[in-house]
Amino acid sequence: MKPKLVSISEEIVRWSFEISVNQSNDWFIAFTNPTAGPWKKITAPDSEGKIGEIHRFEIDETRPDLILVNDKTKQVLIIEAKTTFNDLQKPAQLTKTSQLFENLTVKLRNISNNNFWGSRSKYDYSLGLLWSSGDESKSQVLEMCQEYLENIKGLTKDIICIQGYVENELLKSKVYKAISGETLKFPN
Amino acid sequence: MPKAQKVSEFNLWADSFHEGEWACRNIAREIENQGGSFQVQYDQGFIPAFNFKINSLEIRVHVYGNYGSWSPKPKALENLLAWGKPDLVLINDNTDEILIAVEETAATPTGNQALQRCERQFGSAIEGFPFWYLISEFGLHSDGGVRRDSVWPSLMGLEIMTSLEIPSIVLHYSDLDNPEDYDSGKGLKSLFRIMMGVLINSTNGADPMSGLERELQLQIEEMTTFINLTAMNSLYFLPESTSTKREYLTKKLCETGDLRSSHRKDRENYLNWPLAHELTALQQEEQSSRELKKQDLFARELENSIDKGQSYGIIRGSGSKPQKEEQMKTWISQQNSLQMTWEKEVDSKYEEAFRLHLKDFPKSPTGYHVITAPRILYLFDEFSRVLECLSHSFPDLDYESLSNIHSPSLVYVSNSVKPGRIFGDPYTGQIAAYATSFGALSKGRKVLAYFPHQSVAQAVNNFDNPSNKGLRIMKELTDYLVFGGGITLDMKTGEVL
């Protein structure tokens, strides 16, 4: 018996987006945070393509949901994923995510001597917010992102929004910069 | 002419898509090692659909991650999930039959964590489903040291397999030099050889474990080796077992289906724990009563029974973590309130039989100690001796109806004060592991659990609540629960004695 999808969770939107990222030639996943399994460390390839460990999270350490890297555009995306837009709007979440982004950005910018991270410490670091599309308006999204930006100003100039949505029974993601409106291309 | 292809469809349900896809890619590696091939595509943009080809077989596996997002679910899966969510559940799409359930952990659990998943292991067994638990044998602790896995999941697995005749395998990965490394040790590849074998057998219409005897035998041997190496870290001693028992067990497991009800009377134990009077002189030397941290009449009697040679303790050490004053005040108030509300509805003989007072808990610089009995388990030769302890401790209550029970007994003690806690982690896992490991499934020992700081009202109010996992496990594995004040609940009838 094949089941039907009845609710889109954070896990499903994130997973679907990861498949897009894996099909991209430019981006790679340095970290993903599912509930269990061998995925508790940040990894990246060195100049010879050998993959090594950048950072291992402690059991109690706050982790992001995804870290993506683009070596062509020299960008690092640290992503918080939630099932709904409302979850990301909550003040406690805003504080927690902003703090996490700040701590992790500082950490990753300070490990230029790591063979597997090296020059990536000089990349542009951005916060990404991922959720499943609901009835939130453009202005609500902009307002929320400005609040996040206010908390982490000096570290980044824009917030990357990743909205999961269903089109013709296919789960897709729309990826764009909240302030400038620029679209980022990922395979769908 | 090309050979006709046999095609079968399977669904791999998973807690997360990552785990489901990770499992399928490991199965794919085993398929390729056997000369087969595989392809993967993503249905609807995200559902991994694996297509394995080996010999004349085509095996299709769809991965469904995140249990809550899908409907309908097979009834067997719903029943299994009620005990907790395993990381992977492989289901035949035609029959909706569960082939195997898998739990896997990325880190080595330490202390009570090790027991948290034992309730899933037990739930899978009692629902009649084969269960594999992949766990890191060596793990990095936050203090920089290396920890080794606990003996309990393995011990429990062997007892489940012997009593219920259904696989309940614990596999280890990693080694001392490579802690938490999936590619070190034997467990990972062994798990996926079994999963591949089950898929191939099911596609061929053969019994799921057919031809997998050797792999299963090796897995069971690894479990017994691990138990022999690690048991003494937490136990005073381990009874001997014979290697012929392992071979017999493997044979049985490969023949078996769901034997839950039909074989209840014939259940055996893998290990036969001795009675107190059968202990060797060396084993007896380690048995003597200890001081209580917090005074408690029944706990005192339990300790005295060791000096009298009526029982013995089996688990080494038991720590005491002080609790904060504010929390204690809240919990005590809640327990007393629950009890007083319950008393209004029942016989006056229970009036004020149980009240908690903060002053009764020893205070330390960091909080209040809640430990009464200094050990968590007592193995009694005779249930009547437990009854004597109860009667001496709670003379106003009548335990006469239990006087005709003649059986060895296991007494489990949990000193938790927080309301409801005994029905959740880690206590339900503890009860599942300890009761199963010491013979509850074979009914060789009567199991009694003592909760000195909990009101009986919680169990009475939830007795028929199917979503209370703790009580479900206790109904299966315990005979009597003794709450604060000695008020005792018969777990087979729901009657308060």
Side-chain angles (χ1 to χ4, degrees):
Chain A
M1 170 173 66
K2 298 291 184 203
K4 294 228 178 303
L5 185 66
V6 290
S7 68
I8 299 178
S9 63
E10 165 193 336
E11 152 78 8
I12 286 176
V13 179
R14 188 190 61 209
W15 170 252
S16 155
F17 179 58
E18 283 186 52
I19 291 168
S20 298
V21 175
N22 284 332
Q23 288 167 353
S24 152
N25 293 324
D26 301 334
W27 292 87
F28 72 85
I29 297 170
F31 175 77
T32 175
N33 185 37
T35 52
W39 299 283
K40 293 285 182 267
K41 52 195 177 186
I42 304 174
T43 58
D46 63 12
S47 54
E48 290 167 4
K50 186 183 167 198
I51 292 174
E53 185 171 326
I54 312 295
H55 174 72
R56 185 179 289 235
F57 288 101
E58 299 289 338
I59 285 177
D60 299 330
E61 192 176 351
T62 309
R63 297 182 287 261
D65 288 299
L66 271 176
I67 300 177
L68 308 186
V69 179
N70 188 326
D71 285 329
K72 282 188 185 164
T73 56
K74 301 190 187 311
Q75 279 177 288
V76 175
L77 263 185
I78 297 172
I79 298 172
E80 178 67 38
K82 285 280 167 242
T83 297
T84 66
F85 178 75
N86 284 344
D87 294 336
L88 286 166
Q89 273 187 309
K90 290 174 183 164
Q93 188 63 52
L94 206 135
T95 306
K96 186 181 164 193
T97 298
S98 305
Q99 192 64 54
L100 168 70
F101 177 76
E102 184 176 342
N103 293 345
L104 200 52
T105 299
V106 169
K107 195 172 277 180
L108 292 173
R109 280 182 173 164
N110 281 317
I111 52 169
S112 56
N113 56 350
N114 181 302
N115 286 344
F116 297 98
W117 198 244
S119 62
R120 293 182 182 116
S121 58
K122 304 278 188 291
Y123 284 10
D124 280 338
Y125 286 70
S126 303
L127 173 65
L129 300 173
L130 181 152
W131 72 95
S132 172
S133 279
D135 53 8
E136 63 278 356
S137 65
K138 274 186 182 173
S139 61
Q140 282 175 310
V141 173
L142 185 62
E143 191 181 332
M144 178 185 75
C145 289
Q146 278 167 336
E147 282 186 60
Y148 272 96
L149 209 51
E150 182 64 25
N151 277 2
I152 52 175
K153 61 184 171 193
L155 292 170
T156 187
K157 294 189 186 76
D158 214 329
I159 303 287
I160 312 295
C161 294
I162 304 140
Q163 277 181 274
Y165 65 99
V166 177
E167 186 181 84
N168 299 329
E169 294 195 337
L170 282 177
L171 195 53
K172 296 180 174 180
S173 306
K174 186 165 77 176
V175 189
Y176 59 95
K177 290 184 178 177
I179 310 298
S180 73
E182 181 192 342
T183 302
L184 275 71
K185 288 211 172 356
F186 283 90
N188 254 323
Chain B
M1 249 173 71
K3 276 197 278 184
Q5 288 241 316
K6 281 186 186 171
V7 183
S8 275
E9 295 261 352
F10 300 88
N11 300 321
L12 183 63
W13 290 77
D15 209 10
S16 76
F17 276 102
H18 285 88
E19 286 180 294
E21 174 154 307
W22 170 78
C24 280
R25 290 197 180 273
N26 277 286
I27 293 168
R29 185 176 60 183
E30 294 304 324
I31 294 262
E32 286 182 327
N33 286 343
Q34 300 291 320
S37 62
F38 84 100
Q39 287 183 316
V40 59
Q41 64 178 45
Y42 295 93
D43 290 356
Q44 294 174 49
F46 73 103
I47 302 169
F50 281 78
N51 195 320
F52 303 108
K53 286 187 177 164
I54 184 163
N55 302 325
S56 59
L57 307 179
E58 184 175 337
I59 301 166
R60 296 174 186 163
V61 182
H62 278 84
V63 176
Y64 295 101
N66 200 244
Y67 293 107
S69 291
W70 304 92
S71 183
K73 295 186 192 73
K75 184 80 178 83
L77 180 63
E78 296 273 18
N79 291 343
L80 182 59
L81 294 180
W83 292 95
K85 290 185 286 186
D87 292 317
L88 304 165
V89 183
L90 181 63
I91 294 183
N92 186 319
D93 187 62
N94 284 335
T95 60
D96 279 345
E97 175 197 10
I98 292 181
L99 297 170
I100 69 174
V102 177
E103 184 71 27
E104 69 95 15
T105 55
T108 303
T110 55
N112 278 329
Q113 285 176 319
L115 296 158
Q116 284 180 8
R117 287 178 172 85
C118 287
E119 64 192 42
R120 291 181 203 170
Q121 193 177 356
F122 174 77
S124 191
I126 211 71
E127 290 294 333
F129 305 126
F131 185 88
W132 270 257
Y133 185 8
L134 179 68
I135 187 165
S136 177
E137 181 169 352
F138 296 92
L140 287 170
H141 197 259
S142 50
D143 64 9
V146 173
R147 296 284 192 278
R148 201 166 191 178
D149 182 30
S150 150
V151 73
W152 294 108
S154 298
L155 209 48
M156 182 179 171
L158 279 173
E159 289 301 336
I160 285 172
M161 290 191 280
T162 310
S163 298
L164 300 179
E165 297 180 351
I166 194 140
S168 185
I169 298 282
V170 177
L171 295 173
H172 285 108
Y173 64 88
S174 80
D175 58 34
L176 193 54
D177 296 326
N178 301 283
E180 296 176 13
D181 177 15
Y182 278 76
D183 293 323
S184 302
K186 300 173 184 170
L188 184 92
K189 287 182 179 169
S190 188
L191 169 66
F192 292 111
R193 280 196 294 271
I194 287 281
M195 287 186 83
M196 176 187 69
V198 167
L199 284 168
I200 289 173
N201 281 336
S202 298
T203 306
N204 270 327
D207 288 339
M209 299 301 294
S210 174
L212 296 172
E213 287 87 351
R214 183 69 192 139
E215 191 74 45
L216 198 61
Q217 173 89 37
L218 288 172
Q219 293 183 348
I220 292 171
E221 281 171 11
E222 287 286 331
M223 285 173 75
T224 57
T225 304
F226 175 77
I227 289 170
N228 288 334
L229 285 171
T230 59
M232 301 300 274
N233 296 341
S234 47
L235 303 176
Y236 282 114
F237 64 87
L238 190 69
E240 300 256 330
S241 65
T242 61
S243 58
T244 53
K245 217 167 187 175
R246 294 200 287 270
E247 285 156 27
Y248 173 76
L249 182 56
T250 309
K251 188 166 172 286
K252 274 284 187 194
L253 292 175
C254 288
E255 290 171 352
T256 199
D258 176 2
L259 300 176
R260 283 173 296 171
S261 52
S262 60
H263 275 226
R264 263 188 186 270
K265 284 180 188 163
D266 305 328
R267 288 178 183 181
E268 293 178 352
N269 294 123
Y270 185 79
L271 293 175
N272 289 309
W273 296 89
L275 298 175
H277 73 263
E278 294 168 339
L279 296 183
T280 64
L282 205 62
Q283 288 165 348
Q284 274 173 350
E285 264 180 31
E286 293 193 282
Q287 299 293 330
S288 61
S289 64
R290 294 186 201 149
E291 286 303 310
L292 273 56
K293 264 257 195 262
K294 174 188 180 262
Q295 293 311 306
D296 181 275
L297 290 171
F298 186 49
R300 180 74 267 155
E301 290 284 337
L302 293 173
E303 277 299 300
N304 287 345
S305 73
I306 291 179
D307 291 337
K308 292 176 189 167
Q310 297 168 348
S311 75
Y312 64 93
I314 188 67
I315 299 180
R316 293 177 188 277
S318 165
S320 175
K321 183 184 166 194
Q323 304 293 327
K324 289 177 187 159
E325 181 165 336
E326 278 312 302
Q327 283 182 330
M328 285 291 285
K329 281 181 179 168
T330 305
W331 296 340
I332 286 171
S333 163
Q334 289 169 336
Q335 292 286 0
N336 289 342
S337 169
L338 277 165
Q339 184 73 9
M340 285 189 279
T341 306
W342 176 76
E343 282 172 11
K344 287 176 191 159
E345 297 162 8
V346 294
D347 194 296
S348 61
K349 69 179 176 180
Y350 302 114
E351 203 171 310
E352 296 195 29
F354 169 62
R355 291 291 185 274
L356 291 177
H357 305 282
L358 188 63
K359 64 180 171 51
D360 294 337
F361 292 86
K363 195 174 181 186
S364 78
T366 52
Y368 288 85
H369 288 285
V370 302
I371 296 292
T372 56
R375 49 192 117 220
I376 203 164
L377 288 183
Y378 296 83
L379 276 74
F380 275 79
D381 288 6
E382 281 289 338
F383 185 77
S384 59
R385 299 299 183 189
V386 182
L387 205 54
E388 277 177 20
C389 294
L390 277 172
S391 301
H392 289 161
S393 311
F394 310 108
D396 294 339
L397 295 180
D398 181 8
Y399 301 100
E400 186 59 29
S401 61
L402 308 182
S403 61
N404 57 351
I405 297 170
H406 303 287
S407 164
S409 180
L410 175 76
V411 177
Y412 162 84
V413 183
S414 166
N415 296 293
S416 175
V417 184
K418 186 179 179 182
R421 187 85 202 279
I422 54 171
F423 303 124
D425 285 339
Y427 301 103
T428 51
Q430 276 184 356
I431 286 197
Y434 298 151
T436 305
S437 298
F438 293 102
L441 289 172
S442 69
K443 306 295 169 198
R445 284 181 188 271
K446 286 283 173 194
V447 179
L448 183 147
Y450 179 45
F451 306 114
H453 305 136
Q454 298 280 335
S455 165
V456 70
Q458 300 168 85
V460 172
N461 297 342
N462 285 290
F463 198 76
D464 295 316
N465 177 1
S467 62
N468 188 315
K469 271 189 293 182
L471 271 172
R472 283 185 73 187
I473 285 176
M474 290 178 199
K475 277 184 185 177
E476 290 284 347
L477 289 173
T478 66
D479 296 284
Y480 302 100
L481 303 186
V482 180
F483 288 89
I487 301 169
T488 300
L489 183 67
D490 183 327
M491 292 305 284
K492 302 299 172 242
T493 64
E495 181 195 355
V496 178
L497 302 183

